[in-house]
PDB file of all heavy atoms in Angstrom:
ATOM      1  N   ASP A   9      -8.879  20.288   6.904  1.00  0.00           N
ATOM      2  CA  ASP A   9      -9.007  21.726   7.145  1.00  0.00           C
ATOM      3  C   ASP A   9     -10.337  22.028   7.804  1.00  0.00           C
ATOM      4  O   ASP A   9     -11.234  21.183   7.850  1.00  0.00           O
ATOM      5  CB  ASP A   9      -8.918  22.477   5.811  1.00  0.00           C
ATOM      6  CG  ASP A   9      -7.523  22.449   5.221  1.00  0.00           C
ATOM      7  OD1 ASP A   9      -6.590  22.942   5.894  1.00  0.00           O
ATOM      8  OD2 ASP A   9      -7.355  21.935   4.095  1.00  0.00           O
ATOM      9  N   GLY A  10     -10.443  23.262   8.284  1.00  0.00           N
ATOM     10  CA  GLY A  10     -11.712  23.682   8.874  1.00  0.00           C
ATOM     11  C   GLY A  10     -11.487  24.817   9.853  1.00  0.00           C
ATOM     12  O   GLY A  10     -10.340  25.167  10.158  1.00  0.00           O
ATOM     13  N   PRO A  11     -12.577  25.387  10.343  1.00  0.00           N
ATOM     14  CA  PRO A  11     -12.464  26.521  11.256  1.00  0.00           C
ATOM     15  C   PRO A  11     -11.931  26.119  12.628  1.00  0.00           C
ATOM     16  O   PRO A  11     -11.732  24.926  12.910  1.00  0.00           O
ATOM     17  CB  PRO A  11     -13.910  27.032  11.345  1.00  0.00           C
ATOM     18  CG  PRO A  11     -14.738  25.834  11.042  1.00  0.00           C
ATOM     19  CD  PRO A  11     -13.970  25.019  10.064  1.00  0.00           C
ATOM     20  N   ALA A  12     -11.712  27.125  13.466  1.00  0.00           N
ATOM     21  CA  ALA A  12     -11.130  26.912  14.798  1.00  0.00           C
ATOM     22  C   ALA A  12     -11.985  25.972  15.641  1.00  0.00           C
ATOM     23  O   ALA A  12     -13.219  26.040  15.610  1.00  0.00           O
ATOM     24  CB  ALA A  12     -11.014  28.264  15.509  1.00  0.00           C
ATOM     25  N   ALA A  13     -11.308  25.101  16.364  1.00  0.00           N
ATOM     26  CA  ALA A  13     -11.953  24.228  17.355  1.00  0.00           C
ATOM     27  C   ALA A  13     -13.029  23.314  16.765  1.00  0.00           C
ATOM     28  O   ALA A  13     -14.003  22.982  17.427  1.00  0.00           O
ATOM     29  CB  ALA A  13     -12.545  25.067  18.500  1.00  0.00           C
ATOM     30  N   LYS A  16     -10.340  19.202  14.496  1.00  0.00           N
ATOM     31  CA  LYS A  16      -9.408  18.714  13.480  1.00  0.00           C
ATOM     32  C   LYS A  16      -8.253  17.919  14.087  1.00  0.00           C
ATOM     33  O   LYS A  16      -7.952  16.822  13.656  1.00  0.00           O
ATOM     34  CB  LYS A  16      -8.820  19.887  12.674  1.00  0.00           C
ATOM     35  CG  LYS A  16      -9.837  20.713  11.929  1.00  0.00           C
ATOM     36  CD  LYS A  16      -9.182  21.817  11.113  1.00  0.00           C
ATOM     37  CE  LYS A  16      -8.413  22.839  11.928  1.00  0.00           C
ATOM     38  NZ  LYS A  16      -9.249  23.682  12.817  1.00  0.00           N
ATOM     39  N   ASP A  33       0.688  19.155  12.826  1.00  0.00           N
ATOM     40  CA  ASP A  33      -0.238  20.176  13.317  1.00  0.00           C
ATOM     41  C   ASP A  33       0.280  21.533  12.844  1.00  0.00           C
ATOM     42  O   ASP A  33       1.124  22.158  13.499  1.00  0.00           O
ATOM     43  CB  ASP A  33      -0.237  20.082  14.856  1.00  0.00           C
ATOM     44  CG  ASP A  33      -1.094  21.144  15.510  1.00  0.00           C
ATOM     45  OD1 ASP A  33      -1.630  22.006  14.809  1.00  0.00           O
ATOM     46  OD2 ASP A  33      -1.202  21.101  16.752  1.00  0.00           O
ATOM     47  N   THR A  34      -0.221  21.989  11.692  1.00  0.00           N
ATOM     48  CA  THR A  34       0.335  23.233  11.134  1.00  0.00           C
ATOM     49  C   THR A  34      -0.059  24.458  11.965  1.00  0.00           C
ATOM     50  O   THR A  34       0.665  25.444  11.982  1.00  0.00           O
ATOM     51  CB  THR A  34      -0.098  23.445   9.661  1.00  0.00           C
ATOM     52  OG1 THR A  34      -1.519  23.602   9.606  1.00  0.00           O
ATOM     53  CG2 THR A  34       0.323  22.292   8.785  1.00  0.00           C
ATOM     54  N   GLY A  35      -1.199  24.385  12.660  1.00  0.00           N
ATOM     55  CA  GLY A  35      -1.596  25.486  13.534  1.00  0.00           C
ATOM     56  C   GLY A  35      -0.552  25.705  14.623  1.00  0.00           C
ATOM     57  O   GLY A  35      -0.262  26.849  15.018  1.00  0.00           O
ATOM     58  N   ALA A  36       0.032  24.603  15.098  1.00  0.00           N
ATOM     59  CA  ALA A  36       1.049  24.709  16.148  1.00  0.00           C
ATOM     60  C   ALA A  36       2.265  25.495  15.647  1.00  0.00           C
ATOM     61  O   ALA A  36       2.941  26.176  16.425  1.00  0.00           O
ATOM     62  CB  ALA A  36       1.473  23.316  16.613  1.00  0.00           C
ATOM     63  N   TYR A  38       2.193  28.044  13.448  1.00  0.00           N
ATOM     64  CA  TYR A  38       1.845  29.475  13.525  1.00  0.00           C
ATOM     65  C   TYR A  38       1.787  29.933  14.984  1.00  0.00           C
ATOM     66  O   TYR A  38       2.171  31.057  15.313  1.00  0.00           O
ATOM     67  CB  TYR A  38       0.500  29.735  12.824  1.00  0.00           C
ATOM     68  CG  TYR A  38       0.594  29.603  11.315  1.00  0.00           C
ATOM     69  CD1 TYR A  38       0.244  28.415  10.684  1.00  0.00           C
ATOM     70  CD2 TYR A  38       1.068  30.656  10.538  1.00  0.00           C
ATOM     71  CE1 TYR A  38       0.356  28.277   9.304  1.00  0.00           C
ATOM     72  CE2 TYR A  38       1.179  30.526   9.156  1.00  0.00           C
ATOM     73  CZ  TYR A  38       0.823  29.332   8.546  1.00  0.00           C
ATOM     74  OH  TYR A  38       0.949  29.205   7.180  1.00  0.00           O
ATOM     75  N   ARG A  39       1.313  29.056  15.860  1.00  0.00           N
ATOM     76  CA  ARG A  39       1.279  29.396  17.285  1.00  0.00           C
ATOM     77  C   ARG A  39       2.707  29.567  17.825  1.00  0.00           C
ATOM     78  O   ARG A  39       2.977  30.479  18.615  1.00  0.00           O
ATOM     79  CB  ARG A  39       0.568  28.280  18.071  1.00  0.00           C
ATOM     80  CG  ARG A  39      -0.934  28.259  17.869  1.00  0.00           C
ATOM     81  CD  ARG A  39      -1.555  27.028  18.505  1.00  0.00           C
ATOM     82  NE  ARG A  39      -2.986  27.005  18.321  1.00  0.00           N
ATOM     83  CZ  ARG A  39      -3.862  27.608  19.128  1.00  0.00           C
ATOM     84  NH1 ARG A  39      -3.438  28.235  20.217  1.00  0.00           N
ATOM     85  NH2 ARG A  39      -5.148  27.561  18.879  1.00  0.00           N
ATOM     86  N   ARG A  90      -0.732  27.267  23.692  1.00  0.00           N
ATOM     87  CA  ARG A  90      -2.204  27.086  23.742  1.00  0.00           C
ATOM     88  C   ARG A  90      -2.864  28.108  24.666  1.00  0.00           C
ATOM     89  O   ARG A  90      -4.066  28.026  24.922  1.00  0.00           O
ATOM     90  CB  ARG A  90      -2.570  25.687  24.271  1.00  0.00           C
ATOM     91  CG  ARG A  90      -1.923  24.562  23.531  1.00  0.00           C
ATOM     92  CD  ARG A  90      -2.686  24.141  22.300  1.00  0.00           C
ATOM     93  NE  ARG A  90      -1.787  23.470  21.376  1.00  0.00           N
ATOM     94  CZ  ARG A  90      -1.985  23.373  20.068  1.00  0.00           C
ATOM     95  NH1 ARG A  90      -3.060  23.887  19.524  1.00  0.00           N
ATOM     96  NH2 ARG A  90      -1.114  22.770  19.306  1.00  0.00           N
ATOM     97  N   THR A  95      -3.451  32.247  21.446  1.00  0.00           N
ATOM     98  CA  THR A  95      -4.627  31.914  20.616  1.00  0.00           C
ATOM     99  C   THR A  95      -5.262  33.168  20.024  1.00  0.00           C
ATOM    100  O   THR A  95      -5.645  33.185  18.852  1.00  0.00           O
ATOM    101  CB  THR A  95      -5.665  31.143  21.472  1.00  0.00           C
ATOM    102  OG1 THR A  95      -5.029  29.975  21.980  1.00  0.00           O
ATOM    103  CG2 THR A  95      -6.877  30.750  20.657  1.00  0.00           C
ATOM    104  N   VAL A  98      -2.741  34.725  17.165  1.00  0.00           N
ATOM    105  CA  VAL A  98      -2.115  33.911  16.121  1.00  0.00           C
ATOM    106  C   VAL A  98      -2.617  34.277  14.721  1.00  0.00           C
ATOM    107  O   VAL A  98      -1.855  34.250  13.748  1.00  0.00           O
ATOM    108  CB  VAL A  98      -2.264  32.392  16.432  1.00  0.00           C
ATOM    109  CG1 VAL A  98      -3.700  31.958  16.508  1.00  0.00           C
ATOM    110  CG2 VAL A  98      -1.521  31.535  15.435  1.00  0.00           C
ATOM    111  N   SER A  99      -3.874  34.697  14.610  1.00  0.00           N
ATOM    112  CA  SER A  99      -4.403  35.024  13.279  1.00  0.00           C
ATOM    113  C   SER A  99      -3.768  36.282  12.703  1.00  0.00           C
ATOM    114  O   SER A  99      -3.802  36.494  11.487  1.00  0.00           O
ATOM    115  CB  SER A  99      -5.925  35.175  13.329  1.00  0.00           C
ATOM    116  OG  SER A  99      -6.496  33.940  13.666  1.00  0.00           O
ATOM    117  N   ILE A 100      -3.204  37.122  13.571  1.00  0.00           N
ATOM    118  CA  ILE A 100      -2.498  38.328  13.080  1.00  0.00           C
ATOM    119  C   ILE A 100      -1.207  37.863  12.392  1.00  0.00           C
ATOM    120  O   ILE A 100      -0.871  38.302  11.294  1.00  0.00           O
ATOM    121  CB  ILE A 100      -2.160  39.283  14.249  1.00  0.00           C
ATOM    122  CG1 ILE A 100      -3.427  39.661  15.015  1.00  0.00           C
ATOM    123  CG2 ILE A 100      -1.410  40.525  13.753  1.00  0.00           C
ATOM    124  CD1 ILE A 100      -3.167  40.449  16.294  1.00  0.00           C
ATOM    125  N   ALA A 102      -0.592  34.892  11.185  1.00  0.00           N
ATOM    126  CA  ALA A 102      -0.863  33.994  10.054  1.00  0.00           C
ATOM    127  C   ALA A 102      -1.357  34.723   8.808  1.00  0.00           C
ATOM    128  O   ALA A 102      -1.518  34.110   7.759  1.00  0.00           O
ATOM    129  CB  ALA A 102      -1.879  32.934  10.472  1.00  0.00           C
ATOM    130  N   LYS A 103      -1.593  36.031   8.918  1.00  0.00           N
ATOM    131  CA  LYS A 103      -2.103  36.736   7.725  1.00  0.00           C
ATOM    132  C   LYS A 103      -0.972  37.190   6.792  1.00  0.00           C
ATOM    133  O   LYS A 103      -1.221  37.552   5.656  1.00  0.00           O
ATOM    134  CB  LYS A 103      -2.951  37.947   8.146  1.00  0.00           C
ATOM    135  CG  LYS A 103      -2.115  39.083   8.683  1.00  0.00           C
ATOM    136  CD  LYS A 103      -2.945  40.263   9.140  1.00  0.00           C
ATOM    137  CE  LYS A 103      -1.994  41.293   9.721  1.00  0.00           C
ATOM    138  NZ  LYS A 103      -2.575  42.431  10.315  1.00  0.00           N
ATOM    139  N   ARG A 108       3.592  33.006   5.617  1.00  0.00           N
ATOM    140  CA  ARG A 108       2.896  31.832   5.086  1.00  0.00           C
ATOM    141  C   ARG A 108       3.768  31.096   4.075  1.00  0.00           C
ATOM    142  O   ARG A 108       3.803  29.872   4.050  1.00  0.00           O
ATOM    143  CB  ARG A 108       1.551  32.215   4.456  1.00  0.00           C
ATOM    144  CG  ARG A 108       0.580  32.867   5.412  1.00  0.00           C
ATOM    145  CD  ARG A 108      -0.845  32.775   4.914  1.00  0.00           C
ATOM    146  NE  ARG A 108      -1.328  31.406   4.974  1.00  0.00           N
ATOM    147  CZ  ARG A 108      -1.836  30.835   6.059  1.00  0.00           C
ATOM    148  NH1 ARG A 108      -1.956  31.497   7.179  1.00  0.00           N
ATOM    149  NH2 ARG A 108      -2.224  29.579   6.025  1.00  0.00           N
ATOM    150  N   GLN A 115       6.110  22.994   5.663  1.00  0.00           N
ATOM    151  CA  GLN A 115       5.067  21.959   5.781  1.00  0.00           C
ATOM    152  C   GLN A 115       5.135  20.994   4.590  1.00  0.00           C
ATOM    153  O   GLN A 115       4.971  19.781   4.750  1.00  0.00           O
ATOM    154  CB  GLN A 115       3.687  22.637   5.867  1.00  0.00           C
ATOM    155  CG  GLN A 115       3.512  23.362   7.193  1.00  0.00           C
ATOM    156  CD  GLN A 115       2.517  24.509   7.142  1.00  0.00           C
ATOM    157  OE1 GLN A 115       1.838  24.728   6.142  1.00  0.00           O
ATOM    158  NE2 GLN A 115       2.411  25.254   8.231  1.00  0.00           N
ATOM    159  N   ASP A 127      -3.235  18.877   9.487  1.00  0.00           N
ATOM    160  CA  ASP A 127      -4.441  19.686   9.687  1.00  0.00           C
ATOM    161  C   ASP A 127      -4.110  21.169   9.726  1.00  0.00           C
ATOM    162  O   ASP A 127      -2.992  21.558  10.047  1.00  0.00           O
ATOM    163  CB  ASP A 127      -5.249  19.220  10.913  1.00  0.00           C
ATOM    164  CG  ASP A 127      -4.683  19.695  12.231  1.00  0.00           C
ATOM    165  OD1 ASP A 127      -3.528  20.144  12.259  1.00  0.00           O
ATOM    166  OD2 ASP A 127      -5.399  19.615  13.249  1.00  0.00           O
ATOM    167  N   GLY A 128      -5.089  21.976   9.313  1.00  0.00           N
ATOM    168  CA  GLY A 128      -4.854  23.420   9.272  1.00  0.00           C
ATOM    169  C   GLY A 128      -6.000  24.165   8.630  1.00  0.00           C
ATOM    170  O   GLY A 128      -7.172  23.840   8.853  1.00  0.00           O
ATOM    171  N   ARG A 129      -5.652  25.181   7.842  1.00  0.00           N
ATOM    172  CA  ARG A 129      -6.674  25.992   7.180  1.00  0.00           C
ATOM    173  C   ARG A 129      -6.521  25.966   5.663  1.00  0.00           C
ATOM    174  O   ARG A 129      -7.470  26.194   4.937  1.00  0.00           O
ATOM    175  CB  ARG A 129      -6.561  27.465   7.635  1.00  0.00           C
ATOM    176  CG  ARG A 129      -6.646  27.707   9.141  1.00  0.00           C
ATOM    177  CD  ARG A 129      -8.033  27.373   9.656  1.00  0.00           C
ATOM    178  NE  ARG A 129      -8.227  27.712  11.066  1.00  0.00           N
ATOM    179  CZ  ARG A 129      -7.675  27.085  12.087  1.00  0.00           C
ATOM    180  NH1 ARG A 129      -6.873  26.071  11.896  1.00  0.00           N
ATOM    181  NH2 ARG A 129      -7.949  27.459  13.340  1.00  0.00           N
ATOM    182  N   ASP A 130      -5.270  25.734   5.211  1.00  0.00           N
ATOM    183  CA  ASP A 130      -4.977  25.839   3.769  1.00  0.00           C
ATOM    184  C   ASP A 130      -4.276  24.583   3.268  1.00  0.00           C
ATOM    185  O   ASP A 130      -3.530  24.632   2.298  1.00  0.00           O
ATOM    186  CB  ASP A 130      -4.063  27.049   3.524  1.00  0.00           C
ATOM    187  CG  ASP A 130      -2.744  26.927   4.289  1.00  0.00           C
ATOM    188  OD1 ASP A 130      -2.677  26.131   5.256  1.00  0.00           O
ATOM    189  OD2 ASP A 130      -1.768  27.614   3.923  1.00  0.00           O
ATOM    190  N   ILE A 131      -4.476  23.461   3.939  1.00  0.00           N
ATOM    191  CA  ILE A 131      -3.728  22.251   3.552  1.00  0.00           C
ATOM    192  C   ILE A 131      -4.231  21.726   2.206  1.00  0.00           C
ATOM    193  O   ILE A 131      -3.445  21.499   1.289  1.00  0.00           O
ATOM    194  CB  ILE A 131      -3.823  21.151   4.651  1.00  0.00           C
ATOM    195  CG1 ILE A 131      -3.502  21.735   6.037  1.00  0.00           C
ATOM    196  CG2 ILE A 131      -2.893  19.986   4.310  1.00  0.00           C
ATOM    197  CD1 ILE A 131      -2.187  22.442   6.149  1.00  0.00           C
ATOM    198  N   VAL A 135      -1.085  23.743   0.731  1.00  0.00           N
ATOM    199  CA  VAL A 135       0.084  22.990   1.213  1.00  0.00           C
ATOM    200  C   VAL A 135       0.186  21.642   0.503  1.00  0.00           C
ATOM    201  O   VAL A 135       1.256  21.287  -0.019  1.00  0.00           O
ATOM    202  CB  VAL A 135       0.032  22.802   2.752  1.00  0.00           C
ATOM    203  CG1 VAL A 135       1.266  22.047   3.243  1.00  0.00           C
ATOM    204  CG2 VAL A 135      -0.073  24.159   3.451  1.00  0.00           C
ATOM    205  N   ARG A 156     -14.834  23.290  23.446  1.00  0.00           N
ATOM    206  CA  ARG A 156     -13.605  23.883  23.999  1.00  0.00           C
ATOM    207  C   ARG A 156     -13.799  24.192  25.481  1.00  0.00           C
ATOM    208  O   ARG A 156     -12.894  23.996  26.298  1.00  0.00           O
ATOM    209  CB  ARG A 156     -13.284  25.154  23.187  1.00  0.00           C
ATOM    210  CG  ARG A 156     -11.912  25.751  23.270  1.00  0.00           C
ATOM    211  CD  ARG A 156     -10.752  24.817  23.220  1.00  0.00           C
ATOM    212  NE  ARG A 156     -10.533  24.002  22.052  1.00  0.00           N
ATOM    213  CZ  ARG A 156      -9.822  24.332  20.990  1.00  0.00           C
ATOM    214  NH1 ARG A 156      -9.265  25.510  20.907  1.00  0.00           N
ATOM    215  NH2 ARG A 156      -9.636  23.482  19.991  1.00  0.00           N
ATOM    216  N   ARG A 179     -11.748  34.625  15.359  1.00  0.00           N
ATOM    217  CA  ARG A 179     -10.627  33.963  14.688  1.00  0.00           C
ATOM    218  C   ARG A 179     -11.083  33.415  13.323  1.00  0.00           C
ATOM    219  O   ARG A 179     -10.373  33.551  12.331  1.00  0.00           O
ATOM    220  CB  ARG A 179     -10.103  32.839  15.592  1.00  0.00           C
ATOM    221  CG  ARG A 179      -8.717  32.368  15.237  1.00  0.00           C
ATOM    222  CD  ARG A 179      -7.906  32.030  16.470  1.00  0.00           C
ATOM    223  NE  ARG A 179      -8.453  30.963  17.277  1.00  0.00           N
ATOM    224  CZ  ARG A 179      -8.111  29.687  17.151  1.00  0.00           C
ATOM    225  NH1 ARG A 179      -7.250  29.313  16.236  1.00  0.00           N
ATOM    226  NH2 ARG A 179      -8.613  28.776  17.968  1.00  0.00           N
ATOM    227  N   ASP A 180     -12.279  32.845  13.277  1.00  0.00           N
ATOM    228  CA  ASP A 180     -12.823  32.362  11.989  1.00  0.00           C
ATOM    229  C   ASP A 180     -12.896  33.503  10.989  1.00  0.00           C
ATOM    230  O   ASP A 180     -12.561  33.342   9.820  1.00  0.00           O
ATOM    231  CB  ASP A 180     -14.259  31.851  12.157  1.00  0.00           C
ATOM    232  CG  ASP A 180     -14.320  30.505  12.841  1.00  0.00           C
ATOM    233  OD1 ASP A 180     -13.263  29.889  13.047  1.00  0.00           O
ATOM    234  OD2 ASP A 180     -15.447  30.082  13.167  1.00  0.00           O
ATOM    235  N   LEU A 182     -11.176  36.386  10.926  1.00  0.00           N
ATOM    236  CA  LEU A 182      -9.845  36.810  10.471  1.00  0.00           C
ATOM    237  C   LEU A 182      -9.255  35.781   9.503  1.00  0.00           C
ATOM    238  O   LEU A 182      -8.679  36.139   8.477  1.00  0.00           O
ATOM    239  CB  LEU A 182      -8.902  36.985  11.675  1.00  0.00           C
ATOM    240  CG  LEU A 182      -9.171  38.181  12.583  1.00  0.00           C
ATOM    241  CD1 LEU A 182      -8.286  38.122  13.820  1.00  0.00           C
ATOM    242  CD2 LEU A 182      -8.927  39.489  11.831  1.00  0.00           C
ATOM    243  N   ASP A 183      -9.403  34.494   9.823  1.00  0.00           N
ATOM    244  CA  ASP A 183      -8.820  33.442   8.978  1.00  0.00           C
ATOM    245  C   ASP A 183      -9.527  33.349   7.624  1.00  0.00           C
ATOM    246  O   ASP A 183      -8.903  33.008   6.621  1.00  0.00           O
ATOM    247  CB  ASP A 183      -8.879  32.079   9.681  1.00  0.00           C
ATOM    248  CG  ASP A 183      -7.925  32.008  10.874  1.00  0.00           C
ATOM    249  OD1 ASP A 183      -7.007  32.840  10.954  1.00  0.00           O
ATOM    250  OD2 ASP A 183      -8.108  31.113  11.729  1.00  0.00           O
ATOM    251  N   ARG A 186      -8.743  36.932   5.410  1.00  0.00           N
ATOM    252  CA  ARG A 186      -7.405  37.439   5.074  1.00  0.00           C
ATOM    253  C   ARG A 186      -7.160  37.287   3.575  1.00  0.00           C
ATOM    254  O   ARG A 186      -7.750  36.422   2.909  1.00  0.00           O
ATOM    255  CB  ARG A 186      -6.333  36.709   5.885  1.00  0.00           C
ATOM    256  CG  ARG A 186      -6.155  35.278   5.490  1.00  0.00           C
ATOM    257  CD  ARG A 186      -5.001  34.607   6.261  1.00  0.00           C
ATOM    258  NE  ARG A 186      -5.026  33.198   5.974  1.00  0.00           N
ATOM    259  CZ  ARG A 186      -5.019  32.237   6.891  1.00  0.00           C
ATOM    260  NH1 ARG A 186      -4.974  32.517   8.172  1.00  0.00           N
ATOM    261  NH2 ARG A 186      -5.042  30.972   6.527  1.00  0.00           N
ATOM    262  N   SER A 189      -4.142  33.091   1.155  1.00  0.00           N
ATOM    263  CA  SER A 189      -4.711  31.758   1.461  1.00  0.00           C
ATOM    264  C   SER A 189      -5.682  31.738   2.627  1.00  0.00           C
ATOM    265  O   SER A 189      -5.401  31.132   3.662  1.00  0.00           O
ATOM    266  CB  SER A 189      -3.639  30.686   1.660  1.00  0.00           C
ATOM    267  OG  SER A 189      -2.364  31.131   1.712  1.00  0.00           O
TER     268      SER A 189
HETATM  269  O1  C5P B   1      -5.343  24.955  14.244  1.00  0.00           O
HETATM  270  P1  C5P B   1      -5.138  26.057  15.268  1.00  0.00           P
HETATM  271  O2  C5P B   1      -6.415  26.574  15.838  1.00  0.00           O
HETATM  272  O3  C5P B   1      -4.137  25.715  16.303  1.00  0.00           O
HETATM  273  O4  C5P B   1      -4.509  27.232  14.397  1.00  0.00           O
HETATM  274  C1  C5P B   1      -4.153  28.449  14.982  1.00  0.00           C
HETATM  275  C2  C5P B   1      -4.191  29.561  13.936  1.00  0.00           C
HETATM  276  O5  C5P B   1      -3.130  29.402  13.008  1.00  0.00           O
HETATM  277  C3  C5P B   1      -5.448  29.648  13.080  1.00  0.00           C
HETATM  278  O6  C5P B   1      -6.489  30.391  13.713  1.00  0.00           O
HETATM  279  C4  C5P B   1      -4.927  30.364  11.844  1.00  0.00           C
HETATM  280  O7  C5P B   1      -4.845  31.764  12.048  1.00  0.00           O
HETATM  281  C5  C5P B   1      -3.513  29.850  11.732  1.00  0.00           C
HETATM  282  N1  C5P B   1      -3.377  28.751  10.777  1.00  0.00           N
HETATM  283  C6  C5P B   1      -3.289  29.071   9.443  1.00  0.00           C
HETATM  284  N2  C5P B   1      -3.041  28.093   8.530  1.00  0.00           N
HETATM  285  C7  C5P B   1      -2.904  26.821   8.914  1.00  0.00           C
HETATM  286  C8  C5P B   1      -3.017  26.467  10.275  1.00  0.00           C
HETATM  287  C9  C5P B   1      -3.290  27.473  11.188  1.00  0.00           C
HETATM  288  O8  C5P B   1      -3.436  30.236   9.071  1.00  0.00           O
HETATM  289  N3  C5P B   1      -2.613  25.887   7.990  1.00  0.00           N
END
Side-chain angles (χ1 to χ4, degrees):
D9 289 300
K16 299 182 298 293
D33 176 356
T34 64
Y38 289 96
R39 287 172 180 274
R90 306 275 157 204
T95 302
V98 61
S99 296
I100 304 172
K103 73 182 177 185
R108 300 200 70 84
Q115 290 155 6
D127 79 345
R129 304 293 186 289
D130 59 341
I131 311 305
V135 181
R156 197 43 62 89
R179 198 143 61 93
D180 285 352
L182 289 173
D183 290 342
R186 69 176 172 232
S189 9

